[in-house]
Amino acid sequence: MIRHAAVCLFALGLVATPHGAQAQTGLSITPVAEGFDAPWAIGFLPDDSILVTERGGRLWRLADGMRHEITGIGDVAVTGQGGLLDVLVPRDFAQTRALYFTHAKPQGAGAGTGVARATLSEDGRSLTDWQVIWEMEPGSSGSRHFGSRIVEAPDGHLFVTIGERGDRPSAQDLSRQNGSVIRIARDGTPPADNPFQGQGGTQPGIWSYGHRNPQGAALDSQGRLWVVEHGARGGDEVNLIEKGANYGWPVISYGTHYSGAKIGEGTSKPGMKQPAFYWDPSIAPSGMTIYTGALFPDWQGDILVGSLKFDHIARLSGDPLREVQEISTPETVRVRDIRQGPDGAIWFLSVGQGTLYRMTPD
């Protein structure tokens, strides 16, 4: 039974759960809070409390051994893969108390990926001034491929991943925002130095395009943006994002359609970027962090990605990038989000367990 009560919390720093995670991987995995219904994202506040979003429209704050529901979430379309999705705690939160969210924004008979800003009350119990600062242009239907990760760039602008909403050709159409990474200012406007700003017939917010359904995004220590995205049948990709670049979907791919039919023109084409890494078969990747902490010194610069399909966390390293470890334990069931915490621990959300976990070296 899914429980939405504050009692479903564990104190931080307890010993690992007795599932053999230490013996299998040399890691200690501790449950922090359980009973979530389709959890989607984690955010860390400066006072050491933690935010967790649920796709169904709930936002929770974990603090002082209790779990509190935060009120004030705006209108969210809970449909298929859509709902309340990512949360960003920006670097200036202590001064502004502003939070940013991605969500499926109702748009008449359909829905599109949107970005909202709201202010968290001083007691951490409610949001005020929920405002949609950006939304993709109406016109998409269906309930899949919202993308929806949000990352604060080094200059304070926001990167947001947008899925192609199941409309494959739209990812190559610069007059539409489907299948793109957008870059916007804090008020939702496109910065003047975006690559397609001022070009007739293009969407000025687009930073890169040719993406399918990017559900993980993170900055590395150099401030570069990396994205992980779902392929079809095979062809999940990790991409290093470059300004104005075309990542090929659906013209090139290392996967096939679910029917087994060939996708596009093959695996490469001039003018289209190659992935830094790809999986075949697909692992259904969601959530990404690039490790910079001190608890795992051998993991410096490594990419960690959750798998919704094979119930593990993939660790990638090296140049060229390769998968060096699959962290697979009873806790890593359908990993939706994974983050590095302020203390250098790895935190992840298991959809299958409805639980937030904290991972440290054994």
Side-chain angles (χ1 to χ4, degrees), residues 71-333:
T71 60
I73 296 294
D75 196 9
V76 171
V78 181
T79 173
Q81 297 173 2
L84 180 63
L85 302 173
D86 209 2
V87 58
L88 169 68
V89 181
R91 291 187 292 271
D92 63 357
F93 172 83
Q95 290 75 47
T96 66
R97 299 198 66 81
L99 298 171
Y100 294 84
F101 300 89
T102 59
H103 64 298
K105 167 73 166 53
Q107 295 177 327
T113 305
V115 181
R117 181 181 61 219
T119 303
L120 182 65
S121 62
E122 290 292 337
D123 64 4
R125 298 296 186 95
S126 63
L127 297 175
T128 57
D129 305 320
W130 177 278
Q131 179 187 4
V132 177
I133 61 169
W134 182 90
E135 62 182 288
M136 64 187 301
E137 289 194 354
S140 295
S141 60
S143 58
R144 60 187 176 134
H145 297 187
F146 290 90
S148 222
R149 291 295 175 188
I150 182 169
V151 173
E152 184 179 15
D155 62 5
H157 291 130
L158 306 177
F159 289 117
V160 186
T161 68
I162 312 297
E164 35 81 301
R165 302 291 284 106
D167 181 357
R168 292 190 294 268
S170 67
Q172 291 293 319
D173 184 353
L174 286 172
S175 71
R176 303 180 67 186
Q177 299 136 333
N178 303 50
S180 67
V181 173
I182 66 161
R183 177 177 176 256
I184 55 175
R186 298 292 188 95
D187 62 359
T189 59
D193 59 344
N194 273 8
F196 304 106
Q197 180 73 272
Q199 297 185 20
T202 65
Q203 289 288 344
I206 292 176
W207 187 257
S208 65
Y209 64 108
H211 302 284
R212 185 173 183 267
N213 187 25
Q215 288 193 343
L219 298 179
D220 64 17
S221 60
Q222 301 176 54
R224 300 179 300 176
L225 180 68
W226 295 74
V227 161
V228 62
E229 58 189 280
H230 291 259
R233 184 178 175 184
D236 296 341
E237 295 182 357
V238 177
N239 284 304
L240 175 59
I241 302 302
E242 297 179 14
K243 179 179 181 178
N246 180 354
Y247 289 83
W249 178 259
V251 179
I252 60 173
S253 174
Y254 283 90
T256 63
H257 292 299
Y258 294 113
S259 66
K262 178 183 176 181
I263 293 174
E265 301 177 18
T267 58
S268 65
K269 186 174 183 177
M272 295 183 176
K273 290 290 183 181
Q274 286 290 299
F277 181 83
Y278 71 92
W279 286 274
D280 187 11
S282 295
I283 68 167
S286 183
M288 165 190 271
T289 194
I290 300 176
Y291 193 74
T292 60
L295 287 185
F296 298 90
D298 293 340
W299 293 9
Q300 284 285 328
D302 288 1
I303 296 174
L304 300 169
V305 175
S307 168
L308 292 165
K309 182 178 181 180
F310 291 129
D311 300 337
H312 67 255
I313 295 169
R315 181 165 68 91
L316 299 96
S317 187
D319 185 11
L321 199 63
R322 63 189 181 93
E323 186 177 278
V324 296
Q325 185 179 12
E326 290 182 358
I327 301 168
S328 180
T329 77
E331 294 84 3
T332 59
V333 180

Side-chain angles (χ1 to χ4, degrees), residues 19-73:
H19 295 307
Q22 298 106 315
Q24 182 178 344
T25 64
L27 302 170
S28 177
I29 300 178
T30 305
V32 177
E34 65 176 10
F36 294 109
D37 186 1
W40 218 89
I42 311 162
F44 299 98
L45 293 172
D47 64 0
D48 295 327
S49 60
I50 301 167
L51 301 176
V52 176
T53 65
E54 289 181 339
R55 186 172 50 79
R58 286 187 170 99
L59 173 65
W60 300 94
R61 179 172 172 260
L62 314 180
D64 302 321
M66 300 291 288
R67 181 167 79 178
H68 309 282
E69 184 171 1
I70 297 174
T71 60
I73 296 294

